[in-house]
Structures are given as structure tokens and as C-alpha cells.
Amino acid sequence: MYKGSCLCGSIQFELDGNITDIIHCHCSLCRKASGSAYATNGFINAQDLKLTDHSDSLTFYESSEGKRKYFCRTCGSPLYSSNAQSRERYRLRIGALDSDILERPLSHNFVTSKANWEDLNVELPRYHRHEPGRK
Ligand SMILES: [Zn+2]
Ligand SMILES: [Zn+2]
């Protein structure tokens, strides 16, 4: 059982099942949807997701017909997406999980669409917190 939530905590969820096909997607749509270099998403069975949303914060943006991107209207956190073509599964935003998971990402996808400032081959310094000198 994995647990997850949005940034403000209005939406809590439990995932009672595994996650498959986790990938880092660098396509331009995923970069916008995540506001970052790439989105990390994986498939889950729709029936495995138990969501608690007492303040009615869950909403969606229909990015194209039948494709809904669900997020928290209070804090903006992306949570999962659904596709009318395959209702039995969702695409979970892995960053929304609070639990450690057993599954691991398989690949970086759409790397030809990646941001030009993202260099997958460069080793950057690593810190346990903010970089030294951050105000
Ligand atoms: Zn929220
Ligand atoms: Zn993508």
C-alpha cells in the first residue's frame, strides 16, 4: 500500500496495487504540466486508487478530447491523468507519492524534445539541502 497527497494536503490517496512502466518523460507537454525538466509517470489500475478529498479540491484539465489531467485546485499539484480510451488505468504522477516505492523508472523518453538546459549526461554537485549560499 502506497500513500500520496497534494502539496496542500487537501487530497490524500492510497494506492493498493503496483505501478508499471514508470518513465521520465521529457516531451514539451509533460514539461509544461510539471513545470520541470521532465515528468515521472507510471500506470496504475484505476480501481487501486482510493482518494480522499474532503474539501472538493480535485479538478481536471482536459488537454485533448478524453484526456484529463487531474490536479488540486487549491495548490496546483498534478496527481494523475485518465484517458477515455483506456478507463481501467490511470497515469500516476509519481512525485505525488509520499511512500518509498519498490518500482523504478525504466527510461528517459522523448529526449529529442528535452529542454536545452537539461543535460542528462552532466554530473552536477549534490547537496542534502539547498546549495551553500542560497538566500
Ligand atoms: Zn492541494
Ligand atoms: Zn510526455
Side-chain angles (χ1 to χ4, degrees):
M1 169 89 72
Y2 296 148
K3 290 179 186 280
S5 57
C6 65
L7 179 62
C8 75
S10 295
I11 301 168
Q12 305 279 331
F13 64 87
E14 291 181 348
L15 179 67
D16 196 4
N18 60 344
I19 310 169
T20 61
D21 302 289
I22 301 175
I23 57 97
H24 301 304
C25 188
H26 293 255
C27 85
S28 59
L29 301 179
C30 284
R31 286 193 282 117
K32 290 208 183 290
S34 66
S36 193
Y38 50 84
T40 306
N41 305 321
F43 285 118
I44 59 170
N45 290 320
Q47 62 185 16
D48 293 343
L49 187 68
K50 306 280 184 294
L51 200 131
T52 315
D53 177 21
H54 295 302
S55 52
D56 200 24
S57 293
L58 188 70
T59 187
F60 63 85
Y61 167 67
E62 195 157 78
S63 56
S64 59
E65 195 176 339
K67 292 187 176 177
R68 295 179 171 184
K69 298 184 183 319
Y70 287 84
F71 63 97
C72 173
R73 78 170 86 238
T74 304
C75 68
S77 298
L79 296 170
Y80 65 96
S81 62
S82 68
N83 186 337
Q85 303 293 325
S86 53
R87 294 183 184 281
E88 73 289 350
R89 66 184 189 178
Y90 294 145
R91 200 92 178 116
L92 183 69
R93 310 306 179 204
I94 305 300
L97 287 167
D98 296 303
S99 302
D100 289 340
I101 63 173
L102 298 171
E103 299 87 347
R104 291 292 178 265
L106 303 174
S107 57
H108 288 273
N109 293 10
F110 288 91
V111 291
T112 46
S113 301
K114 74 176 180 57
N116 80 328
W117 44 264
E118 166 70 7
D119 188 339
L120 293 169
N121 300 315
V122 164
E123 279 269 329
L124 297 176
R126 294 168 190 216
Y127 306 112
H128 289 292
R129 298 185 184 281
H130 285 307
E131 74 280 12
R134 164 83 80 102
K135 298 288 188 285

